[in-house]
Amino acid sequence: NAGVTQTPKFQVLKTGQSMTLQCAQDMNHNSMYWYRQDPGMGLRLIYYSASEGTTDKGEVPNGYNVSRLNKREFSLRLESAAPSQTSVYFCASSELAVGGYTFGSGTRLTVV
Amino acid sequence: KNEVEQSPQNLTAQEGEFITINCSYSVGISALHWLQQHPGGGIVSLFMLSSGKKKHGRLIATINIQEKHSSLHITASHPRDSAVYICAVRAYGGATNKLIFGTGTLLAVQP
């Protein structure tokens, strides 16, 4: 089925470890996003990519980096994980002209 | 104050009841989204609105741009409707589809 695929679904890291969350979409969308979801708070934008070759910081970018590898793929990297990065991470894609959003199934990350 | 406010935060209903979830926002918008998230699950887009009303099955979404308010209605509610419902807006004039999210309404429908 067409959509947004995120991997992994679950991950436990030790403080200081690094990892990359992968995201791929097959809807030919130009824009892709990484959000984090924490209890009692709305989803917050970490980074976004309006189109292939561009990336911009969102609301909470500290401690993260991203790569828009091609039109399909947008990865999120934690260089040195901290307990404050324990969260559920969602990747999403959209097409500006149409406006609809498609979300991945989420990655539940725990940093101990 | 959050730019997107939802009410109520928590809602418990009996199966068959008519349910209303409200969303108010303080920015000018070009579109409003209603999203559904089941416990431990992913996020699914239910509606995208820029004016008027949309209906899909037992779900109805309305928006009043002048009052900066939207409602999501569920008719003949069912336990499978139990989920978090999230309102999100795209601010007017944005060059991208970045969304501003409410904190969600947790709905529990009891049989």
Side-chain angles (χ1 to χ4, degrees):
Chain A
N1 290 337
V4 177
T5 303
Q6 270 185 252
T7 55
K9 291 191 183 303
F10 301 94
Q11 184 71 50
V12 178
L13 291 178
K14 293 182 179 179
T15 298
Q17 286 185 317
S18 63
M19 80 161 293
T20 299
L21 280 64
Q22 306 287 353
C23 176
Q25 53 94 7
D26 58 5
M27 295 167 289
N28 205 37
H29 285 168
N30 281 310
S31 301
M32 298 185 73
Y33 311 83
W34 277 106
Y35 292 94
R36 59 178 290 172
Q37 185 180 42
D38 300 294
M41 306 183 75
L43 280 85
R44 293 181 293 168
L45 183 64
I46 304 171
Y47 270 93
Y48 67 98
S49 171
S51 60
E52 184 179 358
T54 69
T55 60
D56 286 286
K57 294 179 180 179
E59 187 182 351
V60 288
N62 291 344
Y64 306 95
N65 283 300
V66 290
S67 296
R68 184 75 184 265
L69 304 170
N70 48 54
K71 192 170 187 179
R72 288 187 65 246
E73 298 172 286
F74 187 40
S75 62
L76 178 71
R77 183 160 178 84
L78 286 71
E79 290 291 350
S80 179
S84 61
Q85 294 177 304
T86 293
S87 187
V88 181
Y89 292 84
F90 287 96
C91 177
S93 72
S94 73
E95 188 57 44
L96 185 65
V98 176
Y101 251 68
T102 302
F103 287 85
S105 57
T107 297
R108 188 171 295 273
L109 175 67
T110 302
V111 182
V112 298
Chain B
K1 191 177 190 300
N2 293 336
E3 292 170 299
V4 179
E5 297 275 358
Q6 288 183 237
S7 63
Q9 288 187 308
N10 295 281
L11 180 57
T12 300
Q14 293 299 123
E15 183 172 357
E17 286 185 0
F18 180 84
I19 289 164
T20 296
I21 299 170
N22 297 298
C23 176
S24 296
Y25 52 90
S26 57
V27 296
I29 69 167
S30 57
L32 181 143
H33 296 253
W34 280 104
L35 310 167
Q36 180 192 56
Q37 184 177 24
H38 281 100
I43 299 171
V44 175
S45 179
L46 297 174
F47 295 104
M48 183 179 68
L49 294 163
S50 55
S51 64
K53 176 179 174 179
K54 286 190 176 180
K55 184 175 189 292
H56 184 258
R58 294 181 294 106
L59 300 178
I60 304 166
T62 63
I63 189 168
N64 185 318
I65 296 293
Q66 287 72 31
E67 294 186 3
K68 295 187 175 179
H69 182 268
S70 175
S71 293
L72 176 69
H73 305 287
I74 305 175
T75 62
S77 60
H78 189 275
R80 64 176 175 266
D81 297 325
S82 298
V84 175
Y85 292 84
I86 302 168
C87 173
V89 302
R90 176 187 170 193
Y92 182 77
T96 72
N97 263 336
K98 289 188 292 180
L99 298 180
I100 306 168
F101 293 83
T103 55
T105 295
L106 176 60
L107 171 65
V109 181
Q110 297 179 339

